Amino acid sequence: MISLKVISHLLDYPTEELWAHRDEIIDALQEADELPVTQVAKLMAFTRSLMQSTLLDAQSHYSELFDRGRARSLLLFEHVHGESRDRGQAMVDLLNQYQQAGITLSSRELPDYLPTYLEYLTLLSPKESIEGLNNIAPILALLSERLKQRGSDYHALFDVLLCLSESGLEASQLATQVENEPRDDTPAALDAVWEEEQVTFLGEGAQCGSSDVGQHQRRFAQETATQYLNFGSSSEMGAQK
């Protein structure tokens, strides 16, 4: 799906390469026939709005949005397994799926990072891609509503993903829940996080490297996590395909 490929890039940490190919992104979206016209227009509007800012401003906003606190983490298992030891095995299972699809991750890439997962889905059949999105639809809805209530345009990307998932879920269904959630991105909340015992799930190698790109992934990989959603064994993101 063209739209999945585009969204995976738009949800990743902003880079010079993304800015250099902004016109190609718009052109690609014009061929995304898997989406209603209204959803394509939403993606185009987000892309144009994002590219109107400078790269440094976009990077700063991205880090502020997705790196402060855990509620808006783009690491999917953060919202499924929390600090459970099941998270480590889920990582291994997902890595095995990637390898079967011909994807090899570097030592600093985490398999449950949403842009990486979307890239993986683009290699599957349309039916399997929809199923993969359906498996994470509750997380997409939750992130969308949290972003919306923070006044972020990024929520539009999650709304489009929900549309593609054909799950029937809408972020607005979680409005009351999100309104009542305590903020986890305040200075006090962030200080409390760093006082917790750190847990690694893939070994020290998963956090190596010093590049700014991907730093947001490694930070959360080193922290314990609050379990925001409890789906049980039925929502393993398709790990038992």
Side-chain angles (χ1 to χ4, degrees):
M1 293 183 181
I2 295 175
S3 53
L4 279 185
K5 189 77 170 179
V6 169
I7 295 174
S8 72
H9 289 302
L10 293 176
L11 273 178
D12 207 348
Y13 185 78
T15 63
E16 291 182 1
E17 183 179 8
L18 179 65
W19 255 239
H21 293 86
R22 66 184 76 184
D23 293 335
E24 295 176 30
I25 292 175
I26 296 296
D27 291 342
L29 286 175
Q30 293 176 345
E31 301 178 10
D33 56 4
E34 69 270 16
L35 280 173
V37 174
T38 54
Q39 297 297 322
V40 172
K42 187 179 294 186
L43 283 179
M44 288 184 175
F46 173 85
T47 302
R48 292 191 175 102
S49 176
L50 177 66
M51 302 298 178
Q52 284 177 354
S53 62
T54 67
L55 178 58
L56 287 178
D57 284 345
Q59 290 173 337
S60 176
H61 175 67
Y62 184 96
S63 295
E64 182 77 14
L65 193 62
F66 295 115
D67 295 351
R68 290 179 63 86
R70 299 161 177 158
R72 298 181 300 279
S73 172
L74 295 181
L75 298 176
L76 294 168
F77 290 143
E78 184 92 13
H79 307 284
V80 179
H81 297 294
E83 61 185 17
S84 167
R85 293 185 180 274
D86 291 340
R87 187 176 183 181
Q89 185 58 53
M91 291 279 202
V92 173
D93 292 342
L94 191 54
L95 274 174
N96 289 335
Q97 284 184 252
Y98 289 171
Q99 290 171 355
Q100 291 173 10
I103 298 175
T104 302
L105 301 184
S106 71
S107 61
R108 68 173 185 233
E109 293 179 291
L110 298 179
D112 64 333
Y113 181 50
L114 180 55
T116 301
Y117 183 67
L118 296 179
E119 285 274 0
Y120 161 67
L121 293 183
T122 65
L123 301 177
L124 307 181
S125 68
K127 180 180 179 180
E128 290 173 323
S129 296
I130 292 172
E131 180 182 352
L133 287 173
N134 193 285
N135 287 333
I136 64 169
I139 303 175
L140 298 175
L142 188 63
L143 288 171
S144 176
E145 187 59 30
R146 285 173 174 164
L147 289 166
K148 190 177 301 181
Q149 293 196 20
R150 292 294 186 273
S152 172
D153 291 342
Y154 270 95
H155 79 83
L157 301 183
F158 292 87
D159 289 344
V160 175
L161 290 174
L162 280 173
C163 177
L164 285 170
S165 75
E166 300 181 3
S167 64
L169 290 178
E170 294 184 5
S172 59
Q173 296 173 289
L174 300 173
T176 301
Q177 174 187 327
V178 172
E179 286 174 0
N180 293 326
E181 288 177 343
R183 292 284 295 265
D184 71 346
D185 56 355
T186 63
L190 292 171
D191 286 345
V193 166
W194 294 112
E195 292 175 358
E196 296 175 355
E197 181 181 2
Q198 294 185 343
V199 177
T200 56
F201 296 96
L202 296 179
E204 294 302 321
Q207 287 82 44
C208 69
S210 59
S211 170
D212 288 338
V213 179
Q215 183 177 355
H216 44 89
Q217 301 178 55
R218 297 194 300 279
R219 172 185 169 188
F220 284 108
Q222 293 173 324
E223 298 176 0
T224 55
T226 302
Q227 187 164 339
Y228 288 95
L229 296 178
N230 182 11
F231 301 128
S233 59
S234 62
S235 292
E236 293 297 330
M237 290 173 37
Q240 283 78 42
K241 282 183 183 289

